[in-house]
Amino acid sequence: MLPFSYQTARDVGRAIAEASEAKETPPTAAPSQFIAGGTNMSDYMRLGVNRPSRLVDINCIEDRSLKTIEIGDPDIRLGALVRMSEVEDHPEINRRCPMLAESLKLAASRQIRNMASLGGNVLQRTRCEYFREISWPCNKRDPGSGCAAIEGFNRQHAVLGTSDSCIATYHGDFAQALIALDASVDISGQSGRRRIRFAELHRQPGDRPDVETTLRPGEIITAIAVNVPAWAARSRYLKIRDRQSYAFALASIAVAINLDGDIVRDARIGLGGLATVPWRATAAEEALRNKPLTEESASIAAQAAFADARPREHNAFKIELGKQTLIRALLEVRDMRI
């Protein structure tokens, strides 16, 4: 780990001022970077992947709105400094939208979830082995150097949203529930405040994998807003992985269904472990609308979800795994008693 300076910020404005000096640099490469729970930042600093010269600790910000959960009807507002475990334990969130809580319960370990903030969680970086090991070429870490994963061992890598420059998977869980529910993100920066759809936060790699989000230099996430319709009680997060705990998804599904009898009036589906960014399966949702939810219609939706999948040598199995995981999740949600 390289030497760095450390300071705390007690208000959002000061934190932004301390981290806004690099105007043309992606936030992940800026000399000054924010730290909250630090579970991702400290890991990559230790590996030499992240090399900030200064950390700005935002845990001491006195604005309570960053640290509170506000339950409205139908909106739920989650402060960016709320810890993952606070949401997974919240009885009203578990009742109204199980997949939100489940996507957190199935992530990492309880010790990490007690530390990790929601804002940091959605901004976590890939666990691609070639990104983490600095001796390998990686366009995300070192633009223009190449992508070792494309011709390397790519079993864990993405089949959706890839490019010729990067096939790294977005490994988070919570983000899949947020994108399925079309959540919004509140952001503060030198130019003021703005709100964007969560779907607009992450960038597909294209030819610039190093630019991972649409955040501007010095911008900070202050809150996540989720519109939770009453029918989101019929939802769940299903995660398939190599072992049952402390492992990232090979395939995961966040799904919420609005059923009128056996007819699907609305469907929300997020795919995890399969794409370069949090992935909304809009084609699958459209395939289900106004049709009975049966094994056949679920299979048709699964085919639609992976119509544009682009497998590599070792990860082609993910397409069939993703389809079967989606079918299973849809049928299990259909059969929920709520």
Side-chain angles (χ1 to χ4, degrees):
M1 184 181 292
L2 297 175
F4 62 94
S5 64
Y6 169 86
Q7 62 190 90
T8 61
R10 296 195 173 277
D11 63 74
V12 172
R14 186 60 186 168
I16 292 167
E18 295 291 350
S20 299
E21 72 274 63
K23 301 297 185 184
E24 305 300 326
T25 305
T28 52
S32 295
Q33 297 186 27
F34 300 121
I35 187 169
T39 58
N40 196 227
M41 177 69 74
S42 59
D43 185 19
Y44 282 149
M45 287 179 66
R46 193 165 55 248
L47 292 169
V49 176
N50 272 18
R51 301 183 179 187
S53 57
R54 177 171 55 174
L55 291 180
V56 180
D57 190 332
I58 59 175
N59 285 297
C60 295
I61 289 177
E62 296 173 351
D63 184 348
R64 291 297 302 168
S65 68
L66 271 71
K67 302 177 182 180
T68 56
I69 299 172
E70 299 176 10
I71 304 295
D73 186 12
D75 294 332
I76 293 176
R77 183 188 181 279
L78 306 169
L81 292 179
V82 170
R83 305 301 159 172
M84 293 170 65
S85 58
E86 294 179 73
V87 178
E88 71 172 276
D89 290 342
H90 199 288
E92 190 66 7
I93 292 174
N94 276 273
R95 183 186 70 82
R96 287 179 52 181
C97 190
M99 75 176 179
L100 272 177
E102 290 168 357
S103 69
L104 293 166
K105 289 175 183 175
L106 295 175
S109 66
R110 178 67 184 203
Q111 292 92 330
I112 289 176
R113 300 196 302 270
N114 284 339
M115 286 290 296
S117 66
L118 297 183
N121 177 267
V122 299
L123 294 176
Q124 65 182 287
R125 307 190 73 185
T126 183
R127 267 62 175 192
C128 170
E129 298 90 341
Y130 300 101
F131 173 76
R132 291 169 59 88
E133 173 48 66
I134 61 175
S135 63
W136 291 100
C138 172
N139 289 318
K140 186 180 286 291
R141 189 186 63 247
D142 184 14
S145 64
C147 176
I150 289 177
E151 300 300 329
F153 183 65
N154 41 47
R155 178 177 182 269
Q156 292 279 352
H157 288 73
V159 296
L160 294 166
T162 61
S163 74
D164 291 337
S165 297
C166 183
I167 59 171
T169 305
Y170 176 86
H171 280 91
D173 295 291
F174 183 49
Q176 317 310 331
L178 295 179
I179 201 164
L181 290 170
D182 201 19
S184 298
V185 181
D186 291 338
I187 298 167
S188 290
Q190 284 193 319
S191 300
R193 301 177 180 177
R194 63 189 180 112
R195 172 173 282 196
I196 63 172
R197 294 175 60 221
F198 186 78
E200 298 168 350
L201 177 62
H202 296 86
R203 288 169 48 110
Q204 293 185 36
D207 59 0
R208 286 296 307 273
D210 58 310
V211 184
E212 298 179 1
T213 72
T214 57
L215 291 177
R216 302 162 187 160
E219 283 192 322
I220 186 172
I221 294 176
T222 56
I224 299 166
V226 190
N227 183 284
V228 181
W231 52 264
R234 187 180 294 279
S235 68
R236 75 161 304 186
Y237 183 71
L238 178 61
K239 183 174 182 178
I240 306 299
R241 42 191 168 173
D242 284 324
R243 59 179 185 269
Q244 282 299 317
S245 66
Y246 204 68
F248 297 106
L250 291 171
S252 64
I253 308 293
V255 60
I257 298 291
N258 182 9
L259 281 182
D260 180 4
D262 64 346
I263 302 297
V264 177
R265 295 307 181 197
D266 202 354
R268 306 290 181 85
I269 301 170
L271 306 182
L274 298 157
T276 55
V277 294
W279 195 266
R280 178 90 177 263
T282 52
E285 295 172 357
E286 187 59 34
L288 288 167
R289 284 193 182 94
N290 298 317
K291 297 180 179 65
L293 182 46
T294 63
E295 188 166 350
E296 180 183 3
S297 63
S299 179
I300 291 170
Q303 293 292 334
F306 290 90
D308 296 326
R310 186 181 177 189
R312 299 287 172 171
E313 181 180 0
H314 306 108
N315 68 355
F317 77 96
K318 279 194 168 189
I319 296 177
E320 186 60 29
L321 178 64
K323 291 177 183 178
Q324 294 302 319
T325 305
L326 176 53
I327 293 168
R328 174 182 161 188
L330 288 168
L331 298 181
E332 288 184 3
V333 170
R334 178 197 64 183
D335 296 336
M336 289 177 65
R337 293 187 177 185
I338 59 173

mmCIF file of all heavy atoms in Angstrom, residues 44-62:
data_model
loop_
_atom_site.group_PDB
_atom_site.id
_atom_site.type_symbol
_atom_site.label_atom_id
_atom_site.label_comp_id
_atom_site.label_asym_id
_atom_site.label_seq_id
_atom_site.Cartn_x
_atom_site.Cartn_y
_atom_site.Cartn_z
ATOM 1 N N TYR A 44 -8.627 -2.790 -2.197
ATOM 2 C CA TYR A 44 -7.931 -2.484 -3.445
ATOM 3 C C TYR A 44 -6.722 -1.574 -3.244
ATOM 4 O O TYR A 44 -5.805 -1.575 -4.068
ATOM 5 C CB TYR A 44 -8.918 -1.917 -4.463
ATOM 6 C CG TYR A 44 -9.756 -3.006 -5.099
ATOM 7 C CD1 TYR A 44 -11.045 -2.775 -5.526
ATOM 8 C CD2 TYR A 44 -9.231 -4.279 -5.265
ATOM 9 C CE1 TYR A 44 -11.799 -3.793 -6.102
ATOM 10 C CE2 TYR A 44 -9.962 -5.291 -5.836
ATOM 11 C CZ TYR A 44 -11.248 -5.044 -6.260
ATOM 12 O OH TYR A 44 -11.967 -6.069 -6.828
ATOM 13 N N MET A 45 -6.692 -0.816 -2.188
ATOM 14 C CA MET A 45 -5.471 -0.066 -1.860
ATOM 15 C C MET A 45 -4.367 -1.045 -1.452
ATOM 16 O O MET A 45 -3.195 -0.872 -1.823
ATOM 17 C CB MET A 45 -5.753 0.933 -0.744
ATOM 18 C CG MET A 45 -6.579 2.129 -1.188
ATOM 19 S SD MET A 45 -6.920 3.285 0.145
ATOM 20 C CE MET A 45 -5.281 3.911 0.511
ATOM 21 N N ARG A 46 -4.721 -2.049 -0.713
ATOM 22 C CA ARG A 46 -3.743 -3.033 -0.274
ATOM 23 C C ARG A 46 -3.164 -3.804 -1.471
ATOM 24 O O ARG A 46 -1.986 -4.167 -1.491
ATOM 25 C CB ARG A 46 -4.404 -3.995 0.709
ATOM 26 C CG ARG A 46 -3.463 -4.893 1.483
ATOM 27 C CD ARG A 46 -4.171 -5.541 2.665
ATOM 28 N NE ARG A 46 -5.360 -6.265 2.262
ATOM 29 C CZ ARG A 46 -6.609 -5.899 2.574
ATOM 30 N NH1 ARG A 46 -6.834 -4.808 3.283
ATOM 31 N NH2 ARG A 46 -7.645 -6.621 2.176
ATOM 32 N N LEU A 47 -3.999 -4.044 -2.496
ATOM 33 C CA LEU A 47 -3.552 -4.755 -3.689
ATOM 34 C C LEU A 47 -2.802 -3.856 -4.669
ATOM 35 O O LEU A 47 -2.227 -4.350 -5.648
ATOM 36 C CB LEU A 47 -4.758 -5.374 -4.402
ATOM 37 C CG LEU A 47 -5.473 -6.519 -3.683
ATOM 38 C CD1 LEU A 47 -6.789 -6.835 -4.364
ATOM 39 C CD2 LEU A 47 -4.579 -7.752 -3.642
ATOM 40 N N GLY A 48 -2.822 -2.548 -4.442
ATOM 41 C CA GLY A 48 -2.178 -1.616 -5.356
ATOM 42 C C GLY A 48 -3.032 -1.233 -6.542
ATOM 43 O O GLY A 48 -2.555 -0.603 -7.489
ATOM 44 N N VAL A 49 -4.311 -1.598 -6.532
ATOM 45 C CA VAL A 49 -5.216 -1.254 -7.626
ATOM 46 C C VAL A 49 -5.702 0.184 -7.483
ATOM 47 O O VAL A 49 -5.645 0.980 -8.424
ATOM 48 C CB VAL A 49 -6.414 -2.225 -7.656
ATOM 49 C CG1 VAL A 49 -7.416 -1.817 -8.725
ATOM 50 C CG2 VAL A 49 -5.919 -3.644 -7.915
ATOM 51 N N ASN A 50 -6.199 0.550 -6.306
ATOM 52 C CA ASN A 50 -6.535 1.941 -6.003
ATOM 53 C C ASN A 50 -5.328 2.610 -5.359
ATOM 54 O O ASN A 50 -4.744 2.049 -4.424
ATOM 55 C CB ASN A 50 -7.731 2.002 -5.040
ATOM 56 C CG ASN A 50 -9.051 2.005 -5.766
ATOM 57 O OD1 ASN A 50 -9.122 1.642 -6.920
ATOM 58 N ND2 ASN A 50 -10.103 2.404 -5.080
ATOM 59 N N ARG A 51 -4.979 3.824 -5.835
ATOM 60 C CA ARG A 51 -3.789 4.493 -5.327
ATOM 61 C C ARG A 51 -4.055 5.961 -5.011
ATOM 62 O O ARG A 51 -3.358 6.856 -5.505
ATOM 63 C CB ARG A 51 -2.653 4.378 -6.347
ATOM 64 C CG ARG A 51 -2.277 2.938 -6.674
ATOM 65 C CD ARG A 51 -1.115 2.868 -7.626
ATOM 66 N NE ARG A 51 -0.746 1.493 -7.919
ATOM 67 C CZ ARG A 51 0.334 1.143 -8.628
ATOM 68 N NH1 ARG A 51 1.123 2.078 -9.106
ATOM 69 N NH2 ARG A 51 0.605 -0.124 -8.845
ATOM 70 N N PRO A 52 -5.061 6.247 -4.202
ATOM 71 C CA PRO A 52 -5.298 7.651 -3.851
ATOM 72 C C PRO A 52 -4.172 8.188 -2.977
ATOM 73 O O PRO A 52 -3.573 7.450 -2.187
ATOM 74 C CB PRO A 52 -6.619 7.591 -3.078
ATOM 75 C CG PRO A 52 -6.641 6.218 -2.497
ATOM 76 C CD PRO A 52 -5.984 5.332 -3.510
ATOM 77 N N SER A 53 -3.900 9.469 -3.121
ATOM 78 C CA SER A 53 -2.912 10.105 -2.240
ATOM 79 C C SER A 53 -3.582 10.668 -0.988
ATOM 80 O O SER A 53 -2.904 11.006 -0.017
ATOM 81 C CB SER A 53 -2.177 11.221 -2.990
ATOM 82 O OG SER A 53 -3.097 12.184 -3.485
ATOM 83 N N ARG A 54 -4.923 10.755 -1.033
ATOM 84 C CA ARG A 54 -5.645 11.271 0.127
ATOM 85 C C ARG A 54 -7.008 10.598 0.222
ATOM 86 O O ARG A 54 -7.694 10.416 -0.780
ATOM 87 C CB ARG A 54 -5.816 12.779 0.022
ATOM 88 C CG ARG A 54 -6.633 13.382 1.161
ATOM 89 C CD ARG A 54 -6.597 14.896 1.153
ATOM 90 N NE ARG A 54 -7.025 15.469 -0.116
ATOM 91 C CZ ARG A 54 -7.190 16.780 -0.317
ATOM 92 N NH1 ARG A 54 -6.915 17.637 0.654
ATOM 93 N NH2 ARG A 54 -7.590 17.222 -1.485
ATOM 94 N N LEU A 55 -7.391 10.211 1.444
ATOM 95 C CA LEU A 55 -8.722 9.682 1.710
ATOM 96 C C LEU A 55 -9.505 10.706 2.514
ATOM 97 O O LEU A 55 -9.005 11.256 3.502
ATOM 98 C CB LEU A 55 -8.642 8.371 2.493
ATOM 99 C CG LEU A 55 -8.074 7.151 1.759
ATOM 100 C CD1 LEU A 55 -8.075 5.946 2.681
ATOM 101 C CD2 LEU A 55 -8.866 6.851 0.489
ATOM 102 N N VAL A 56 -10.745 10.934 2.081
ATOM 103 C CA VAL A 56 -11.644 11.843 2.786
ATOM 104 C C VAL A 56 -12.734 10.998 3.433
ATOM 105 O O VAL A 56 -13.597 10.440 2.757
ATOM 106 C CB VAL A 56 -12.269 12.881 1.829
ATOM 107 C CG1 VAL A 56 -13.195 13.824 2.596
ATOM 108 C CG2 VAL A 56 -11.176 13.663 1.108
ATOM 109 N N ASP A 57 -12.671 10.865 4.747
ATOM 110 C CA ASP A 57 -13.612 10.041 5.510
ATOM 111 C C ASP A 57 -14.907 10.811 5.693
ATOM 112 O O ASP A 57 -14.930 11.896 6.285
ATOM 113 C CB ASP A 57 -12.997 9.701 6.870
ATOM 114 C CG ASP A 57 -13.801 8.641 7.617
ATOM 115 O OD1 ASP A 57 -15.019 8.545 7.397
ATOM 116 O OD2 ASP A 57 -13.196 7.917 8.432
ATOM 117 N N ILE A 58 -16.014 10.259 5.174
ATOM 118 C CA ILE A 58 -17.300 10.953 5.228
ATOM 119 C C ILE A 58 -18.203 10.436 6.341
ATOM 120 O O ILE A 58 -19.350 10.875 6.467
ATOM 121 C CB ILE A 58 -18.038 10.878 3.872
ATOM 122 C CG1 ILE A 58 -18.279 9.415 3.460
ATOM 123 C CG2 ILE A 58 -17.238 11.599 2.794
ATOM 124 C CD1 ILE A 58 -19.101 9.261 2.184
ATOM 125 N N ASN A 59 -17.701 9.537 7.179
ATOM 126 C CA ASN A 59 -18.520 8.998 8.262
ATOM 127 C C ASN A 59 -18.903 10.043 9.298
ATOM 128 O O ASN A 59 -19.901 9.879 9.998
ATOM 129 C CB ASN A 59 -17.779 7.849 8.957
ATOM 130 C CG ASN A 59 -17.779 6.590 8.115
ATOM 131 O OD1 ASN A 59 -18.824 6.023 7.834
ATOM 132 N ND2 ASN A 59 -16.604 6.164 7.693
ATOM 133 N N CYS A 60 -18.114 11.106 9.400
ATOM 134 C CA CYS A 60 -18.363 12.131 10.422
ATOM 135 C C CYS A 60 -19.279 13.245 9.932
ATOM 136 O O CYS A 60 -19.492 14.226 10.660
ATOM 137 C CB CYS A 60 -17.041 12.713 10.906
ATOM 138 S SG CYS A 60 -15.996 11.528 11.765
ATOM 139 N N ILE A 61 -19.784 13.141 8.718
ATOM 140 C CA ILE A 61 -20.728 14.153 8.238
ATOM 141 C C ILE A 61 -21.921 14.209 9.181
ATOM 142 O O ILE A 61 -22.511 13.189 9.538
ATOM 143 C CB ILE A 61 -21.179 13.842 6.793
ATOM 144 C CG1 ILE A 61 -20.014 14.084 5.829
ATOM 145 C CG2 ILE A 61 -22.387 14.680 6.397
ATOM 146 C CD1 ILE A 61 -20.335 13.747 4.391
ATOM 147 N N GLU A 62 -22.265 15.418 9.605
ATOM 148 C CA GLU A 62 -23.273 15.586 10.655
ATOM 149 C C GLU A 62 -24.702 15.611 10.141
ATOM 150 O O GLU A 62 -25.647 15.592 10.939
ATOM 151 C CB GLU A 62 -22.954 16.861 11.438
ATOM 152 C CG GLU A 62 -21.618 16.760 12.183
ATOM 153 C CD GLU A 62 -21.200 18.066 12.834
ATOM 154 O OE1 GLU A 62 -21.869 19.091 12.563
ATOM 155 O OE2 GLU A 62 -20.220 18.060 13.589
#
